[in-house]
Amino acid sequence: KIAKTTDTVGDKKILFIGDSITSHGAYIGKLKEMIPEITLLGTRQTTGNHNAAGEDLQYAGFPCEGRGGWAAYNYCNSTTQSGVSGNPFLNNGAFDFAFYMDNQGYSGVDFVFINLGTNDPVRGDKTIEQMLSCYNQMINSIHAYDQNIKVMLWLPPTRALAANSGHI
């Protein structure tokens, strides 16, 4: 639970950038339930959680930048990955947060959550150095736009780590 304070927590603008976990929107929906006053930004909509029959259970329709199968490398270099096209951050071959904000007509954002990590190491076609370079590009571009934006990284346990530990 989040305890509200005298601060105006709810008037914050939040952008989630991520992979399919972001696209499904469970934690975005939970945050919106806890703080309904927040404004979510994004060019895409969460798809919602699905049960085994493929039925949408909840959390569909929240703005975000979630793209299934994407990694940090894709946000810094690609227009298409895993059958998902469109990268509104890519400008002249680089991640450009100011370009994104201007093109979307957004006046500002308070928090950017970068929720990647599941797909980064499992493909095996990028080095750790390339992966970290892309995270740095994203963070540096966000802070070049506005150094007061709080950037949160969510790096979930990956399938690669689970495979190496014998858990899958």
Side-chain angles (χ1 to χ4, degrees):
K1 295 280 182 184
I2 295 176
K4 290 194 177 190
T5 67
T6 56
D7 297 333
T8 53
V9 175
D11 68 347
K12 303 299 182 195
K13 293 178 187 172
I14 300 174
L15 173 65
F16 287 89
I17 302 171
D19 53 26
S20 61
I21 298 169
T22 300
S23 182
H24 292 178
Y27 54 82
I28 297 171
K30 279 292 190 191
L31 182 63
K32 188 73 171 161
E33 282 178 5
M34 291 187 292
I35 313 170
E37 304 86 17
I38 61 172
T39 299
L40 297 169
L41 305 177
T43 63
R44 301 176 62 85
Q45 300 286 310
T46 56
T47 60
N49 294 331
H50 297 87
N51 64 17
E55 299 167 319
D56 184 16
L57 300 177
Q58 57 185 348
Y59 304 128
F62 294 109
C64 72
E65 293 297 343
R67 290 166 174 76
W70 281 49
Y73 181 86
N74 303 115
Y75 279 99
C76 293
N77 296 283
S78 308
T79 57
T80 301
Q81 173 63 38
S82 300
V84 181
S85 62
N87 184 348
F89 299 98
L90 204 60
N91 182 24
N92 294 319
F95 185 94
D96 186 339
F97 196 74
F99 174 79
Y100 171 84
M101 294 295 284
D102 290 344
N103 282 343
Q104 304 316 314
Y106 297 144
S107 61
V109 61
D110 299 292
F111 295 92
V112 174
F113 287 83
I114 300 175
N115 299 325
L116 296 164
T118 299
N119 300 311
D120 292 276
V122 297
R123 291 207 177 99
D125 58 347
K126 305 296 177 267
T127 66
I128 295 284
E129 291 77 19
Q130 286 172 310
M131 183 179 83
L132 294 175
S133 173
C134 292
Y135 280 97
N136 284 328
Q137 285 176 42
M138 295 172 78
I139 294 166
N140 291 339
S141 181
I142 291 166
H143 283 152
Y145 174 77
D146 182 346
Q147 65 182 3
N148 295 313
I149 295 172
K150 297 188 180 45
V151 179
M152 313 293 191
L153 295 179
W154 181 49
L155 305 171
T158 66
R159 290 175 282 183
L161 292 174
N164 291 334
S165 69
H167 291 292
I168 60 171

